[in-house]
Amino acid sequence: MLADLSIWHILILIAVITLMFGSKRIPEMGASIGKGIQAFKRGLQDAGNAIEEPPPPPPQQKSVSNSGAPKRLSE
């Protein structure tokens, strides 16, 4: 379907879009679309990095070596 577009079709589409939005608004729309694409790519990259990084190891607890008897302060 898109293969049937000729140069005349493209020029007519550009003319209609220019008439609808005006020549000032088109660059603003392009810039906002570009920013949206950059934010989307950055989000995908951040999500990929979060998946690739292994989770941090759990904190190790100190082992208690006494047998449950209370320690003596003086002997």
Side-chain angles (χ1 to χ4, degrees):
M1 182 166 179
L2 291 177
D4 295 337
L5 288 177
S6 69
I7 188 71
W8 292 109
H9 291 111
I10 295 171
L11 290 175
I12 291 172
L13 283 173
I14 291 173
V16 168
I17 290 172
T18 304
L19 289 174
M20 286 177 61
F21 296 109
S23 60
K24 269 190 164 181
R25 181 78 173 127
I26 292 174
E28 293 173 5
M29 289 176 18
S32 65
I33 290 172
K35 288 179 184 177
I37 291 172
Q38 285 179 349
F40 181 73
K41 286 182 180 179
R42 191 176 319 116
L44 285 178
Q45 188 177 28
D46 290 344
N49 290 342
I51 291 172
E52 290 174 1
E53 293 177 1
Q60 295 180 354
Q61 296 179 354
K62 295 180 181 178
S63 61
V64 179
S65 60
N66 64 4
S67 62
K71 289 185 180 180
R72 294 185 183 186
L73 296 177
S74 62
E75 289 188 22

